[in-house]
Amino acid sequence: MKQTCDILVIGGGASGLFAAITAAQIAPHKRIVVLEREQRVAKKLLTTGNGRCNLSNVGGLKGHYYGDVAFAEAAFSHFGVEQTCCSMAQLGIPTVALEQEKLFPCSLQASSVVDMLRYAAADLGIEMITETTVERMIAKNPYEVYTNKGTWQADVVAIATGGKSCVGKFEGTTGYDLLQNMGYTVTKLTPAIVQVTTEKEPIKPLTGIKVDGQITAVCGKETRTEVGEILFADYGVSGPPVLQLSGMIARYGRADLMIDFMPDWSEQAIYDEIWSRRLRFASRSCEDLLTGLMNKRLGQTVLKRAGIEKLSRLGGSLTHQEVKAVVTMIKGFPLKANGTKGWSTAQVTCGGVLTKDFDPKTMASKLHRGLYVMGEVLNVTGDCGGYNLQWAWTSGYLAGKAMGEA
Ligand SMILES: Cc1cc2nc3c(=O)[nH]c(=O)nc-3n(C[C@H](O)[C@H](O)[C@H](O)COP(=O)(O)OP(=O)(O)OC[C@H]3O[C@@H](n4cnc5c(N)ncnc54)[C@H](O)[C@@H]3O)c2cc1C
């Protein structure tokens, strides 16, 4: 038997729940149903921000998005960070800015965001039906949506199925499939905000070390530089600046990385410091030449890679040329990236459904009346730092408002 409702939201994640809540606030009389394939809604949201949910960023959104940027910016002009904070506060989730303008719930608990969204949805009479996977839909009047547990009919359907990242072994129908079958264009999809794999040998001694530095990735004609804490692991590198670069590296498949371990020092200042150490500690071995200036293991690795193979040599024996080579290695430690850790650990999807067929004010389709699409499934990707959830809230809110008013 076919079941019916007024608004059917496919996907109970960040954007889908926010859209359903917004629609229900505007149109309390409408029957709103959220279909979610997992055992519980918003599972991914629980893991965001290392369990603290970095839900937005107060440092400005411009320059932090990729893909259909003009579409995203148009949407943000209707519902931005300020409106998100107000809406969250109304739902009982006041926010606080920490760590370089990242916005978190005051509770610093992602689980509390999920709880408050669930409670709001329940209070508003939204039906959240879990363990129900949408397998196919047909665009007719009303829409017919086929799931593993029966068929739904609705005049208004929202696709909020998220991206390909971190979805485990799921191999069923995705939002990309649903939309592609209806004639929408999906770009190439690559994992982003993910650890980067590199050649192993040069960083073998550095496994487990965290250093503040500047990292530049060169992919073909594209170059991007990020600053922050870089983590060395057995597979390659991670940490916030690496995660930021990972989308670009995933797109190209490889990159030439260059790490500046002392970005606040000029080459001359580093040279002077090392030369002065060479004089002051002339009778000590090179092993400790950089100790105190940087992480000891990193210092030794830099010296070896700069050609000082025998660290038992006396510091006083270093030539000007050798010190220059050490400075060059500190300011530009080269490393070849050969990919990323892939979908299983990626936080987001780069690419998605092209937005040319949607209205940025309402997320409504221009091709199918009553169809709305939001969140990560669209070709909008944000940087690490709360930008992806902000896109989920913005697109979810705008779609929810339009669906409520429809
Ligand atoms: C580990 C991790 C940490 C992250 N941390 C942050 C962070 O701190 N800040 C930030 O801004 N972003 C973060 N992100 C990214 C952020 O979580 C996503 O961009 C955001 O959740 C996307 O929202 P969405 O509603 O589009 O999709 P989702 O939240 O992924 O929701 C989509 C939902 O649709 C369901 N679904 C999919 N297909 C079907 C189907 N066929 N039938 C029924 N249901 C279906 C899924 O099960 C899912 O629940 C993180 C991501 C990960 C993986």
PDB file of all heavy atoms in Angstrom, residues 212-234:
ATOM      1  N   ASP A 212      54.154  22.904  14.150  1.00  0.00           N
ATOM      2  CA  ASP A 212      53.478  24.044  13.532  1.00  0.00           C
ATOM      3  C   ASP A 212      54.315  24.477  12.347  1.00  0.00           C
ATOM      4  O   ASP A 212      55.527  24.673  12.481  1.00  0.00           O
ATOM      5  CB  ASP A 212      53.351  25.200  14.534  1.00  0.00           C
ATOM      6  CG  ASP A 212      52.134  25.015  15.412  1.00  0.00           C
ATOM      7  OD1 ASP A 212      51.094  24.580  14.888  1.00  0.00           O
ATOM      8  OD2 ASP A 212      52.229  25.264  16.622  1.00  0.00           O
ATOM      9  N   GLY A 213      53.710  24.607  11.209  1.00  0.00           N
ATOM     10  CA  GLY A 213      54.471  24.991  10.025  1.00  0.00           C
ATOM     11  C   GLY A 213      53.572  25.466   8.914  1.00  0.00           C
ATOM     12  O   GLY A 213      52.351  25.594   9.083  1.00  0.00           O
ATOM     13  N   GLN A 214      54.212  25.718   7.790  1.00  0.00           N
ATOM     14  CA  GLN A 214      53.469  26.163   6.605  1.00  0.00           C
ATOM     15  C   GLN A 214      53.663  25.114   5.521  1.00  0.00           C
ATOM     16  O   GLN A 214      54.796  24.703   5.273  1.00  0.00           O
ATOM     17  CB  GLN A 214      54.036  27.503   6.162  1.00  0.00           C
ATOM     18  CG  GLN A 214      53.408  28.051   4.900  1.00  0.00           C
ATOM     19  CD  GLN A 214      53.989  29.415   4.581  1.00  0.00           C
ATOM     20  OE1 GLN A 214      53.744  30.379   5.297  1.00  0.00           O
ATOM     21  NE2 GLN A 214      54.757  29.501   3.520  1.00  0.00           N
ATOM     22  N   ILE A 215      52.578  24.682   4.913  1.00  0.00           N
ATOM     23  CA  ILE A 215      52.706  23.627   3.901  1.00  0.00           C
ATOM     24  C   ILE A 215      52.091  24.117   2.586  1.00  0.00           C
ATOM     25  O   ILE A 215      50.993  24.659   2.565  1.00  0.00           O
ATOM     26  CB  ILE A 215      52.090  22.292   4.410  1.00  0.00           C
ATOM     27  CG1 ILE A 215      52.195  21.207   3.331  1.00  0.00           C
ATOM     28  CG2 ILE A 215      50.690  22.420   4.898  1.00  0.00           C
ATOM     29  CD1 ILE A 215      52.031  19.791   3.882  1.00  0.00           C
ATOM     30  N   THR A 216      52.861  23.917   1.509  1.00  0.00           N
ATOM     31  CA  THR A 216      52.406  24.338   0.185  1.00  0.00           C
ATOM     32  C   THR A 216      52.249  23.107  -0.685  1.00  0.00           C
ATOM     33  O   THR A 216      53.109  22.223  -0.672  1.00  0.00           O
ATOM     34  CB  THR A 216      53.449  25.292  -0.445  1.00  0.00           C
ATOM     35  OG1 THR A 216      53.578  26.422   0.407  1.00  0.00           O
ATOM     36  CG2 THR A 216      53.030  25.756  -1.833  1.00  0.00           C
ATOM     37  N   ALA A 217      51.140  23.048  -1.417  1.00  0.00           N
ATOM     38  CA  ALA A 217      50.931  21.946  -2.363  1.00  0.00           C
ATOM     39  C   ALA A 217      50.914  22.515  -3.768  1.00  0.00           C
ATOM     40  O   ALA A 217      50.208  23.503  -4.029  1.00  0.00           O
ATOM     41  CB  ALA A 217      49.620  21.235  -2.065  1.00  0.00           C
ATOM     42  N   VAL A 218      51.689  21.907  -4.647  1.00  0.00           N
ATOM     43  CA  VAL A 218      51.679  22.316  -6.056  1.00  0.00           C
ATOM     44  C   VAL A 218      51.119  21.152  -6.865  1.00  0.00           C
ATOM     45  O   VAL A 218      51.670  20.050  -6.858  1.00  0.00           O
ATOM     46  CB  VAL A 218      53.102  22.668  -6.550  1.00  0.00           C
ATOM     47  CG1 VAL A 218      53.072  23.135  -8.002  1.00  0.00           C
ATOM     48  CG2 VAL A 218      53.733  23.731  -5.660  1.00  0.00           C
ATOM     49  N   CYS A 219      49.976  21.407  -7.521  1.00  0.00           N
ATOM     50  CA  CYS A 219      49.347  20.395  -8.375  1.00  0.00           C
ATOM     51  C   CYS A 219      49.215  21.036  -9.747  1.00  0.00           C
ATOM     52  O   CYS A 219      48.381  21.932  -9.933  1.00  0.00           O
ATOM     53  CB  CYS A 219      47.953  20.035  -7.887  1.00  0.00           C
ATOM     54  SG  CYS A 219      47.865  19.397  -6.231  1.00  0.00           S
ATOM     55  N   GLY A 220      49.985  20.594 -10.699  1.00  0.00           N
ATOM     56  CA  GLY A 220      49.948  21.220 -12.025  1.00  0.00           C
ATOM     57  C   GLY A 220      50.181  22.711 -11.887  1.00  0.00           C
ATOM     58  O   GLY A 220      51.182  23.144 -11.299  1.00  0.00           O
ATOM     59  N   LYS A 221      49.195  23.504 -12.376  1.00  0.00           N
ATOM     60  CA  LYS A 221      49.381  24.957 -12.302  1.00  0.00           C
ATOM     61  C   LYS A 221      48.779  25.549 -11.020  1.00  0.00           C
ATOM     62  O   LYS A 221      48.831  26.747 -10.785  1.00  0.00           O
ATOM     63  CB  LYS A 221      48.724  25.625 -13.510  1.00  0.00           C
ATOM     64  CG  LYS A 221      49.539  25.428 -14.776  1.00  0.00           C
ATOM     65  CD  LYS A 221      48.924  26.165 -15.938  1.00  0.00           C
ATOM     66  CE  LYS A 221      49.726  25.882 -17.200  1.00  0.00           C
ATOM     67  NZ  LYS A 221      48.919  25.909 -18.404  1.00  0.00           N
ATOM     68  N   GLU A 222      48.152  24.680 -10.221  1.00  0.00           N
ATOM     69  CA  GLU A 222      47.496  25.163  -8.990  1.00  0.00           C
ATOM     70  C   GLU A 222      48.454  25.070  -7.804  1.00  0.00           C
ATOM     71  O   GLU A 222      49.109  24.042  -7.608  1.00  0.00           O
ATOM     72  CB  GLU A 222      46.270  24.297  -8.700  1.00  0.00           C
ATOM     73  CG  GLU A 222      44.959  25.063  -8.738  1.00  0.00           C
ATOM     74  CD  GLU A 222      43.796  24.184  -8.305  1.00  0.00           C
ATOM     75  OE1 GLU A 222      43.381  23.301  -9.068  1.00  0.00           O
ATOM     76  OE2 GLU A 222      43.306  24.400  -7.186  1.00  0.00           O
ATOM     77  N   THR A 223      48.504  26.152  -7.012  1.00  0.00           N
ATOM     78  CA  THR A 223      49.342  26.151  -5.805  1.00  0.00           C
ATOM     79  C   THR A 223      48.506  26.670  -4.649  1.00  0.00           C
ATOM     80  O   THR A 223      47.760  27.637  -4.809  1.00  0.00           O
ATOM     81  CB  THR A 223      50.550  27.101  -6.000  1.00  0.00           C
ATOM     82  OG1 THR A 223      51.309  26.624  -7.097  1.00  0.00           O
ATOM     83  CG2 THR A 223      51.436  27.140  -4.770  1.00  0.00           C
ATOM     84  N   ARG A 224      48.617  26.015  -3.513  1.00  0.00           N
ATOM     85  CA  ARG A 224      47.885  26.501  -2.342  1.00  0.00           C
ATOM     86  C   ARG A 224      48.741  26.310  -1.099  1.00  0.00           C
ATOM     87  O   ARG A 224      49.397  25.278  -0.952  1.00  0.00           O
ATOM     88  CB  ARG A 224      46.566  25.724  -2.222  1.00  0.00           C
ATOM     89  CG  ARG A 224      45.595  26.363  -1.272  1.00  0.00           C
ATOM     90  CD  ARG A 224      44.238  25.706  -1.294  1.00  0.00           C
ATOM     91  NE  ARG A 224      43.559  26.060  -0.054  1.00  0.00           N
ATOM     92  CZ  ARG A 224      42.433  25.532   0.360  1.00  0.00           C
ATOM     93  NH1 ARG A 224      41.821  24.640  -0.356  1.00  0.00           N
ATOM     94  NH2 ARG A 224      41.901  25.912   1.509  1.00  0.00           N
ATOM     95  N   THR A 225      48.722  27.307  -0.222  1.00  0.00           N
ATOM     96  CA  THR A 225      49.533  27.250   1.004  1.00  0.00           C
ATOM     97  C   THR A 225      48.627  27.345   2.227  1.00  0.00           C
ATOM     98  O   THR A 225      47.682  28.135   2.238  1.00  0.00           O
ATOM     99  CB  THR A 225      50.539  28.422   1.005  1.00  0.00           C
ATOM    100  OG1 THR A 225      51.397  28.269  -0.122  1.00  0.00           O
ATOM    101  CG2 THR A 225      51.382  28.432   2.265  1.00  0.00           C
ATOM    102  N   GLU A 226      48.913  26.555   3.227  1.00  0.00           N
ATOM    103  CA  GLU A 226      48.154  26.593   4.480  1.00  0.00           C
ATOM    104  C   GLU A 226      49.126  26.578   5.656  1.00  0.00           C
ATOM    105  O   GLU A 226      50.230  26.034   5.548  1.00  0.00           O
ATOM    106  CB  GLU A 226      47.221  25.380   4.588  1.00  0.00           C
ATOM    107  CG  GLU A 226      46.109  25.345   3.559  1.00  0.00           C
ATOM    108  CD  GLU A 226      45.034  26.402   3.779  1.00  0.00           C
ATOM    109  OE1 GLU A 226      44.887  26.867   4.937  1.00  0.00           O
ATOM    110  OE2 GLU A 226      44.353  26.780   2.808  1.00  0.00           O
ATOM    111  N   VAL A 227      48.681  27.132   6.764  1.00  0.00           N
ATOM    112  CA  VAL A 227      49.527  27.195   7.960  1.00  0.00           C
ATOM    113  C   VAL A 227      48.820  26.493   9.112  1.00  0.00           C
ATOM    114  O   VAL A 227      47.595  26.581   9.228  1.00  0.00           O
ATOM    115  CB  VAL A 227      49.773  28.678   8.349  1.00  0.00           C
ATOM    116  CG1 VAL A 227      50.659  28.784   9.577  1.00  0.00           C
ATOM    117  CG2 VAL A 227      50.405  29.433   7.192  1.00  0.00           C
ATOM    118  N   GLY A 228      49.569  25.824   9.975  1.00  0.00           N
ATOM    119  CA  GLY A 228      48.959  25.204  11.151  1.00  0.00           C
ATOM    120  C   GLY A 228      49.734  23.979  11.590  1.00  0.00           C
ATOM    121  O   GLY A 228      50.873  23.764  11.163  1.00  0.00           O
ATOM    122  N   GLU A 229      49.095  23.168  12.414  1.00  0.00           N
ATOM    123  CA  GLU A 229      49.774  22.002  12.982  1.00  0.00           C
ATOM    124  C   GLU A 229      49.773  20.832  11.988  1.00  0.00           C
ATOM    125  O   GLU A 229      48.702  20.385  11.559  1.00  0.00           O
ATOM    126  CB  GLU A 229      49.068  21.585  14.269  1.00  0.00           C
ATOM    127  CG  GLU A 229      49.862  20.583  15.059  1.00  0.00           C
ATOM    128  CD  GLU A 229      49.154  20.215  16.349  1.00  0.00           C
ATOM    129  OE1 GLU A 229      48.074  19.595  16.279  1.00  0.00           O
ATOM    130  OE2 GLU A 229      49.674  20.553  17.420  1.00  0.00           O
ATOM    131  N   ILE A 230      50.974  20.393  11.639  1.00  0.00           N
ATOM    132  CA  ILE A 230      51.124  19.288  10.687  1.00  0.00           C
ATOM    133  C   ILE A 230      51.477  18.037  11.481  1.00  0.00           C
ATOM    134  O   ILE A 230      52.363  18.068  12.349  1.00  0.00           O
ATOM    135  CB  ILE A 230      52.244  19.599   9.669  1.00  0.00           C
ATOM    136  CG1 ILE A 230      51.909  20.886   8.902  1.00  0.00           C
ATOM    137  CG2 ILE A 230      52.449  18.435   8.706  1.00  0.00           C
ATOM    138  CD1 ILE A 230      53.107  21.524   8.224  1.00  0.00           C
ATOM    139  N   LEU A 231      50.777  16.948  11.189  1.00  0.00           N
ATOM    140  CA  LEU A 231      51.012  15.697  11.902  1.00  0.00           C
ATOM    141  C   LEU A 231      51.643  14.692  10.943  1.00  0.00           C
ATOM    142  O   LEU A 231      51.137  14.482   9.833  1.00  0.00           O
ATOM    143  CB  LEU A 231      49.667  15.166  12.436  1.00  0.00           C
ATOM    144  CG  LEU A 231      49.638  13.731  12.918  1.00  0.00           C
ATOM    145  CD1 LEU A 231      50.461  13.566  14.182  1.00  0.00           C
ATOM    146  CD2 LEU A 231      48.200  13.283  13.190  1.00  0.00           C
ATOM    147  N   PHE A 232      52.760  14.085  11.358  1.00  0.00           N
ATOM    148  CA  PHE A 232      53.409  13.065  10.534  1.00  0.00           C
ATOM    149  C   PHE A 232      52.946  11.687  10.994  1.00  0.00           C
ATOM    150  O   PHE A 232      52.948  11.396  12.186  1.00  0.00           O
ATOM    151  CB  PHE A 232      54.935  13.176  10.643  1.00  0.00           C
ATOM    152  CG  PHE A 232      55.455  14.420   9.969  1.00  0.00           C
ATOM    153  CD1 PHE A 232      55.625  15.589  10.695  1.00  0.00           C
ATOM    154  CD2 PHE A 232      55.729  14.433   8.618  1.00  0.00           C
ATOM    155  CE1 PHE A 232      56.073  16.744  10.084  1.00  0.00           C
ATOM    156  CE2 PHE A 232      56.174  15.586   7.989  1.00  0.00           C
ATOM    157  CZ  PHE A 232      56.348  16.750   8.721  1.00  0.00           C
ATOM    158  N   ALA A 233      52.536  10.868  10.030  1.00  0.00           N
ATOM    159  CA  ALA A 233      52.048   9.529  10.370  1.00  0.00           C
ATOM    160  C   ALA A 233      52.750   8.509   9.477  1.00  0.00           C
ATOM    161  O   ALA A 233      53.489   8.885   8.567  1.00  0.00           O
ATOM    162  CB  ALA A 233      50.545   9.475  10.164  1.00  0.00           C
ATOM    163  N   ASP A 234      52.469   7.212   9.725  1.00  0.00           N
ATOM    164  CA  ASP A 234      53.164   6.203   8.915  1.00  0.00           C
ATOM    165  C   ASP A 234      52.727   6.231   7.452  1.00  0.00           C
ATOM    166  O   ASP A 234      53.468   5.842   6.565  1.00  0.00           O
ATOM    167  CB  ASP A 234      52.979   4.806   9.525  1.00  0.00           C
ATOM    168  CG  ASP A 234      51.514   4.480   9.769  1.00  0.00           C
ATOM    169  OD1 ASP A 234      50.662   5.356   9.488  1.00  0.00           O
ATOM    170  OD2 ASP A 234      51.222   3.361  10.221  1.00  0.00           O
TER     171      ASP A 234
END
